[in-house]
């Protein structure tokens, strides 16, 4: 633009119709410049002005060219609990462009960036592999999975518009000028979040330090609740993950017990574990929207438990492989460097038990790190480790029976002990949920289990009890136990575990932004 | 370059997915728009949902509409739209669009050619009329098609086919306001301009959930810089009540009593604009006498359920001389005494001189995009242009203008919607033609209606969608183009005439209603009467001529382009009138001249009548109905065709009930409950909320089962049904265990 002054450029732009006509309406609603250091852009929602007309949702959809049915804004309604003075408040909500974005820290492929100058949390669509972990990490349900594209997409505060002096789509489209963009100090964001100041009946702001300011001249009763508080619904079942967790955990359990088994079983255990973990990882890949880019998933190891899990599983498979290989080498070619082979085999075996444990721990942490009450450390660790133990012991018994090992009785005792552990943990978890405060996530989760999925819930409990009783029965039957007794026992157990994991995903309940009547 | 490719492979910052959401400056004053929908031209037109009549800027790419934004400078909406406006193009892509004429053969609808369809249309209707006379066929039309098409329909049916009876679904929404205005002012003339919302000190909304039903009119309220008091008179604490400054939670159908009490208090305060009343009105003394003699303040206040203080405070504010405007919609119109209620509003405005000045007026808010086009030009209740079928000089004027024989024009009035259906029930009307409305879904008492429609010999449904509840019953379905697929004009709530344009092609063999009428006119053999009407603008020019000398005189408009240039034009717009009519926002009656022959407005009043179906021990609750949300439109045929609007709307029918009533009935939030009236029963999900008040329940009107409950009580003057009040019983789903 050599030789053209800024004024000329402006008038040329105007002549070409490139200056937006709406600018005159919204110019007061966006800041003049970029945020300074220690500051960022934020949505400011004036609740006095929001009427819940939903134009912001539709305007965002049209002005950003979203797919049919895809929306980046939502409208909810808060209702007062006090019968004396009736309170009703509509709430518009989108991405809060948090100071500590959980989507970003959880992403295994670094598909999120927080712009250093604006503070906007941006999603890199072409980097995304569609693992959807961010949809769990974000307490506000902001990143939305787009199944036809196989990736997640989210609000970017129309930062490209802001940089050109244009207002974001929602700001442009609100008929009552309830949404504006403001510049906030990050310190004050932390301060507010630290005090728990955000919006009643919403996720705890301490988790991610959201930037959005909800302002109102009226006092919002702290006991106001979302109008959909009684609405219970199932979350996505993530069936590939159900399979992935059960397969890999059974493999990990096998490596634990396999270390102590005799050599006639060991090679079978190593082989089975090797097959199971690969089956698990294969099934798990089906969960991804774009599995061809799975190789990127180690990138986020510094912050993401998902990346760490991937790395741990790579380590697990790379130790499991030599364990299996050398155990079989011992069997087929016992004459080949017997002591070296034996050492490598047992070393790899121990290493696989260690890496397997790390992988299991990473799996647990993936869920724990979402800060969802239903997926807390105790619940998740108990479930996953319990599955590993019991699966490992049962499969060990099975192998032991097949190879007619003398240690079968020990295996069966192990199964029974594992079963007792699993039952005790499940009962404890259920007890916690049953006795949680009314309308708390744990209580809602329990309610959802029994009211929407009673069959699955019964199958889970029935399966656990039957499997345990069968194990006890086997202890008495001992060596004489026939295989046709073992197979149905194992099947019942698998079904029970599948139901348990299915419930784990579908009946997860956590705090969310206010919703609407459904 | 290789390192960059590698880098992108491992950490991609751009690519096809990123490009999908890329935005670019598009020109046309739009600012940034999605790259994939960047337009090569734009065109402005008005929205086809409600009668707010917002301007929408349609983005065109290679001759096809790809996106839209609200028109930035249109005087109605000033760059804003509600979610329905934003999604206006989506319903055109619906998979259930009617694309072929369908004829019922051996009980099943099968596709036929247009030739066959029009042949059957003519043959069947002719046969019925030959056997049973001119009054044995009727049509039911709409407030959703352009004025030109309505005029064509009404003219073809009455002047060409020789039928007598036709009415529109505007009977369900605007008949009350139209009748009230006509009786009080001498013409169906809503006096408002939307700027009155910005210029008022005291805005009184009666039976209007404006925030949900007319969000862009609420935008105009928010632009009011006079810090107005906004009083929301509604039995429910609606979103509008939340947004206003005061909520007057009147008893259901306590509105007339409320207005009488208010008028009485104003009279007692001598808040009467004597000069105005003397110069421009007729009948004030009788009105004052009625208020003093017949209106017992205590009784009226009791009847409307408000406190005396609330009413006195309001009367004080009006008496202070604040610019007071009343705005009403279906809460008033859909009532057993809607006309008198609307007239009670009008009378208060006349008495206090709150009319013809900025920020004042008894202002009715219209429902459908072209309800007013239907009121003035559909040739149903009135002869074209607000004329009278019974007056020879009017028939002559129309005959001369259209150059048709005067004998073609019936000299008797049409039956109203409810009367047409009664005649169908009695076997007197045997052929019915339904155009762009969904009678089965939207009319009252659906169970009864089903049995009525079963009596028809021939039912023709002309619609955008092939599967509406009404179309499913049709013997012949004529596939019609929708908004955005044809040309014409709409008239909005503030009398503004705006254009719609063709920005998409109709799907399959669907045709614009205009073309369908042209086809049928030929098949009927009366094409000679309509030779002048080659395209919609020809009709518009004739309607302009017809409007000459009427209050709705639009002879000054030079054609469609003129409407574009001026951001729509409000009637009246007379040829050769002074320059004051060039103002973009105008209200009526600034000069105090009303449309009765003596130019004076009338005070029309009567006492409040008891509701036709009061609650009793068997049906102890009042059933209220109304708009569900801003993302829902009427019978949902269009709004549910947008994935976005559908996502923003409740998916299943629910009933709002007060926690105290719910407790008594042992009903829990979210539980399935059974609603029973004397006419039918339906299931709904219970939503416990104090907003509805004790002793009442509320259901959103959009769901198809709702009208199994409602009753066909009509206002005696407007014949508009009272959707807003009947007695109902609620109970837990009997199948649920206690």
């Amino acid at each position: 633009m050599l030789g053209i002054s800024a004024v000329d450029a402006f008038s040329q732009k105007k002549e070409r119709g490139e200056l937006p006509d709406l600018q005159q309406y919204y110019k007061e609603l966006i800041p003049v410049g970029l945020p300074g250091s220690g500051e960022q852009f934020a949505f400011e929602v004036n609740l006095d002005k929001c009427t819940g007309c939903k134009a912001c949702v539709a305007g965002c959809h049209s002005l950003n060219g979203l797919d049919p049915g895809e929306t980046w804004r939502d409208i909810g309604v808060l209702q007062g609990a006090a019968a004396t003075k009736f309170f009703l408040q509509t709430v518009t909500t989108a991405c809060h462009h948090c100071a500590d974005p959980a989507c970003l820290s959880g992403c295994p492929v670094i598909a999120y960036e927080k712009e250093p100058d604006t503070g906007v949390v941006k999603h890199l669509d072409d980097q995304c592999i569609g693992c959807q972990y961010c949809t769990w990490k974000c307490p506000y349900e902001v990143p939305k999975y787009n199944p036809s594209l196989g990736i997640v997409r989210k609000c970017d505060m129309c930062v490209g518009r802001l940089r050109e002096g244009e207002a974001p789509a929602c700001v442009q489209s609100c008929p009552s000028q309830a949404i504006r963009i403001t510049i906030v100090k990050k310190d004050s964001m932390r301060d507010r979040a630290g005090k728990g100041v955000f919006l009643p009946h919403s996720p705890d702001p301490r988790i991610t330090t959201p930037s959005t300011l909800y302002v109102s001249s009226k006092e919002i009763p702290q006991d106001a609740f979302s109008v959909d508080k009684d609405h219970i619904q199932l979350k996505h079942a993530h069936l590939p993950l159900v399979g992935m967790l059960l397969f890999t955990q059974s493999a990990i359990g096998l490596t634990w017990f396999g270390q102590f088994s005799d050599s006639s079983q060991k090679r079978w255990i190593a082989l089975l574990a090797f097959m199971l973990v690969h089956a698990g990882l294969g099934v798990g890949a089906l969960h991804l929207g774009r599995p061809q880019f799975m190789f990127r998933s180690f990138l986020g190891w510094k912050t993401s438990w998902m990346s760490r899990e991937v790395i741990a599983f790579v380590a697990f498979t790379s130790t499991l492989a030599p364990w299996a290989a050398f155990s079989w080498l011992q069997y087929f070619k016992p004459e080949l460097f017997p002591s070296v082979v034996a050492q490598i085999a047992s070393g790899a075996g121990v290493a696989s038990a260690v890496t397997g444990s790390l992988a299991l721990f990473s799996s647990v942490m993936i869920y724990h790190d979402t800060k969802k009450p239903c997926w807390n450390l105790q619940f998740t660790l108990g479930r996953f480790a319990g599955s590993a133990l019991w699966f490992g012991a049962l499969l060990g018994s099975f192998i032991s029976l097949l190879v007619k090992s003398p240690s079968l009785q020990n295996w069966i005792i192990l199964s029974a002990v594992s079963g007792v552990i699993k039952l005790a943990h499940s009962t404890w978890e259920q007890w916690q949920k049953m006795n949680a405060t009314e309308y708390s996530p744990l209580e809602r989760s329990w309610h959802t289990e029994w009211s929407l999925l009673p069959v699955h819930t019964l199958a889970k409990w029935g399966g656990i009890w039957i499997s345990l009783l069968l194990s006890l029965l086997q202890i008495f039957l001992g060596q004489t136990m026939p295989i046709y007794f073992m197979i149905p026992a194992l099947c019942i157990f698998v079904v029970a575990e599948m139901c348990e994991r299915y419930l784990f995903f579908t009946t997860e309940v956590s705090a969310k932004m206010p919703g609407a009547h459904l | 370059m290789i390192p960059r490719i590698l880098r992108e492979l491992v950490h991609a910052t751009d690519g096809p997915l990123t490009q999908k959401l890329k935005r670019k400056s598009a020109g046309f004053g739009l600012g940034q728009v999605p790259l994939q929908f960047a337009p090569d031209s734009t065109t402005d037109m008005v929205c086809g949902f409600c009668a707010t009549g917002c301007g929408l800027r349609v983005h065109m790419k290679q001759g096809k509409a790809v996106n839209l934004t609200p028109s930035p400078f249109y005087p109605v909406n000033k760059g804003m739209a509600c979610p329905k406006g934003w999604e206006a193009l989506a319903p055109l892509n619906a998979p259930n669009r009617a694309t072929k004429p369908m004829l019922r053969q051996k009980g099943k609808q099968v596709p036929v050619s247009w030739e066959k369809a029009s042949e059957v249309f003519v043959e069947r209707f002719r046969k019925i009329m030959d056997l049973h006379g001119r009054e044995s066929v009727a049509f039911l039309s709409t407030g959703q098609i352009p004025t030109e098409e309505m005029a064509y329909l009404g003219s073809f049916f009455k002047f060409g086919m020789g039928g007598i009876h036709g009415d529109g679904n505007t009977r369900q929404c605007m008949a009350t306001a139209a009748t009230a205005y006509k009786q009080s002012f001498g013409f169906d003339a809503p006096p408002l301009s939307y700027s009155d919302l910005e210029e008022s000190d005291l805005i009184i909304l009666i039976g209007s959930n404006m925030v949900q039903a007319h969000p862009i009119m609420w935008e105009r309220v928010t632009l009011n810089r006079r810090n107005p008091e906004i009083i929301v008179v509604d039995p429910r604490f609606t979103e509008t009540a939340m947004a206003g400054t005061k909520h007057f939670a009147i008893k259901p159908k306590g509105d007339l009593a409320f207005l009488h009490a208010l008028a009485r208090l104003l009279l007692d305060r001598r808040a009467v604009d004597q000069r105005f009343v003397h110069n421009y009105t007729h009948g004030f003394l009788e009105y004052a006498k009625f208020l003093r003699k017949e209106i017992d303040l205590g009784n009226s206040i009791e009847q409307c359920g408000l406190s005396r203080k609330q009413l006195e405070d309001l009367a004080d504010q009006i008496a202070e001389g604040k610019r007071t405007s009343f705005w009403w919609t279906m809460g008033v119109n859909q009532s057993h005494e809607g006309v008198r209620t609307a007239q009670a509003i009008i009378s208060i405005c006349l008495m206090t001189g709150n009319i013809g000045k900025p920020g004042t007026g008894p202002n009715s808010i219209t429902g459908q995009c072209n309800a007013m086009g239907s009121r003035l030009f559909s040739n149903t209740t009135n002869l074209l242009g607000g004329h009278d079928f019974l007056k020879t000089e009017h028939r002559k004027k129309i005959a001369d203008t259209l150059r048709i024989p005067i004998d073609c024009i019936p000299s008797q009035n049409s039956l109203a919607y409810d009367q047409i259906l009664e005649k169908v029930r009695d076997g007197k009307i045997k052929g019915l033609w339904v155009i762009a409305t969904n009678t089965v879904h939207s009319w009252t008492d659906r169970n009864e209606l089903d049995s009525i429609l079963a009596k028809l010999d021939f039912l023709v449904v002309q619609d955008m969608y092939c599967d509406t509840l009404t179309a499913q019953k049709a013997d012949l379905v004529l596939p019609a183009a929708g908004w955005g697929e044809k040309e014409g004009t709409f008239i909005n709530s503030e009398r503004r005439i705006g254009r719609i344009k063709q920005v998409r092609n109709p799907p399959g063999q669907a045709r614009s209603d205009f073309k369908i009428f042209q086809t049928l006119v030929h098949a009927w053999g009366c094409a000679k009467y309509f030779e002048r009407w080659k395209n919609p603008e020809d009709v518009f020019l004739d309607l302009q001529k017809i409007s000459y000398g009427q209050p709705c005189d639009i002879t000054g408009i030079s054609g469609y382009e003129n409407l574009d240039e001026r951001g729509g034009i409000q009637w009246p717009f007379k040829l050769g009138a002074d320059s004051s009519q060039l103002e973009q926002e105008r209200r009526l009656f600034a000069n105090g001249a009303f449309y009765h022959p003596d130019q004076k407005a009338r005070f029309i009043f009567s006492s409040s009548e008891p509701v036709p179906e009061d609650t009793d021990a068997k049906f102890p609750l009042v059933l209220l109905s109304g708009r569900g949300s801003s993302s829902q439109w009427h019978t949902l045929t269009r709004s549910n065709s947008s994935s976005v609007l559908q996502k923003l709307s409740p998916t299943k029918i629910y009933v709002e009930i007060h926690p105290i009533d719910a407790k008594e009935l042992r009903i829990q939030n979210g539980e399935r409950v059974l609603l029973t009236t004397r006419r039918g029963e339906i299931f709904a999900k219970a939503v416990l909320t104090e907003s509805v008040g004790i002793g009442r329940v509320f259901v959103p009107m959009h769901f198809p089962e709702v009208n199994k409950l409602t009753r066909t009580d009509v206002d005696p003057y407007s014949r508009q049904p009272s959707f807003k009040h009947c007695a109902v019983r609620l109970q837990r789903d009997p199948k649920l265990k206690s």
Side-chain angles (χ1 to χ4, degrees), chain B residues 22 52 108 209 224 263 307 503 543 694:
Chain B
K22 270 272 175 324
T52 307
K108 238 184 105 188
N209 190 0
N224 186 317
S307 74
V503 292
L543 295 179
I694 298 169

Side-chain angles (χ1 to χ4, degrees), chain B residues 478-498:
Chain B
L478 302 176
W483 171 94
E485 295 168 345
K486 56 184 183 178
E487 306 277 320
T489 58
F490 289 161
I491 312 179
N492 79 351
S493 281
E494 54 165 6
R495 313 178 311 282
R496 185 177 304 278
I497 302 162

Side-chain angles (χ1 to χ4, degrees), chain B residues 559-585:
Chain B
Y560 277 175
E561 264 182 36
N562 198 203
L563 296 172
D564 271 342
E565 288 154 11
R566 299 189 44 78
I569 294 176
Q570 284 175 291
W571 65 256
F573 198 80
K574 294 177 195 166
L575 191 64
D578 65 67
S579 63
S580 70
Q581 75 173 17
L582 294 176
E583 276 175 39
Q584 216 176 17
E585 296 190 87

Side-chain angles (χ1 to χ4, degrees), chain B residues 274-299:
Chain B
Q274 294 290 354
R275 194 189 62 88
F276 186 87
V277 166
H278 179 262
N279 290 341
Y280 306 122
T281 71
H282 183 82
F284 177 68
L285 290 178
E286 291 82 352
Y287 179 55
K289 193 172 143 199
F290 162 78
L291 291 176
R292 288 214 175 87
K293 291 260 164 66
E294 309 279 327
I295 298 306
D296 179 86
L297 257 182
N299 275 348

Side-chain angles (χ1 to χ4, degrees), chain B residues 346-407:
Chain B
I346 292 171
S347 295
I348 289 177
C349 290
L350 292 175
M351 173 167 76
T352 56
N354 273 305
I355 191 163
K357 300 176 201 135
T360 64
N363 305 323
S364 94
I365 305 168
T366 313
Q368 302 182 77
C369 52
N370 199 23
M372 203 183 292
S374 164
R375 283 147 74 172
L376 294 177
F377 293 109
S378 66
N379 210 30
T380 51
T381 311
N382 311 307
L383 181 56
L384 293 170
H387 290 91
D388 193 339
F389 282 105
L390 307 182
K391 287 187 179 152
T392 317
E393 69 270 27
H394 283 183
R395 292 201 301 278
K396 184 166 183 328
K397 177 182 167 187
I398 303 301
D400 290 349
T401 315
L402 299 183
R403 295 186 205 149
I404 56 169
I406 189 166
D407 313 336

Side-chain angles (χ1 to χ4, degrees), chain B residues 428-623:
Chain B
K428 296 278 188 321
I429 290 179
K430 293 178 178 297
L432 188 65
W433 182 13
V434 178
I435 303 99
T437 189
N438 190 358
T439 303
V440 174
H441 190 138
S442 63
W443 190 255
T444 51
D445 198 356
R446 182 171 154 199
N447 291 333
E448 162 86 358
L449 182 66
D450 282 343
S451 66
I452 291 176
L453 292 181
K455 295 198 171 168
L456 284 167
D457 287 349
F458 190 46
L459 174 63
V460 182
V461 172
Q462 182 170 324
D463 205 284
M464 272 176 80
Y465 297 100
C466 61
D467 60 351
T468 68
L469 291 176
T470 317
Q472 286 173 25
K473 291 183 185 289
D475 299 300
L476 180 65
V477 177
L478 302 176
W483 171 94
E485 295 168 345
K486 56 184 183 178
E487 306 277 320
T489 58
F490 289 161
I491 312 179
N492 79 351
S493 281
E494 54 165 6
R495 313 178 311 282
R496 185 177 304 278
I497 302 162
R499 274 184 84 176
I500 65 163
K501 297 174 188 174
Q502 184 173 358
V503 292
R504 287 272 184 93
N505 286 322
Q509 297 170 36
R511 294 180 179 178
S512 70
D513 295 278
F514 191 87
K515 287 211 177 101
I516 295 175
F517 302 138
Q518 283 183 321
T519 309
L520 295 175
V521 156
H522 277 100
W524 195 276
C526 59
K528 60 180 187 299
Y529 294 163
F530 304 101
E531 271 168 357
R532 305 152 55 79
W533 292 351
K534 302 252 178 329
N535 56 57
E537 197 167 6
D538 299 331
V539 182
F540 186 74
L541 292 174
D542 271 351
L543 295 179
Q544 283 185 283
K545 287 179 203 148
I546 284 169
S547 76
Y548 176 76
Q550 289 290 92
C552 61
D553 190 328
I554 48 170
T555 48
I557 300 172
S558 64
Y560 277 175
E561 264 182 36
N562 198 203
L563 296 172
D564 271 342
E565 288 154 11
R566 299 189 44 78
I569 294 176
Q570 284 175 291
W571 65 256
F573 198 80
K574 294 177 195 166
L575 191 64
D578 65 67
S579 63
S580 70
Q581 75 173 17
L582 294 176
E583 276 175 39
Q584 216 176 17
E585 296 190 87
R586 291 175 294 140
R587 68 187 60 79
L588 297 178
F589 310 130
N591 57 1
F594 292 90
Y595 301 127
H596 282 296
D598 61 1
Q599 296 205 340
K600 288 185 173 184
R602 303 282 187 272
F603 284 92
I604 303 173
F605 49 86
S606 60
S607 306
S608 177
E609 297 287 330
V611 291
E613 187 183 63
D614 208 350
T615 53
D616 54 26
K618 239 179 144 191
F619 299 97
L621 297 164
V622 175
L623 177 71

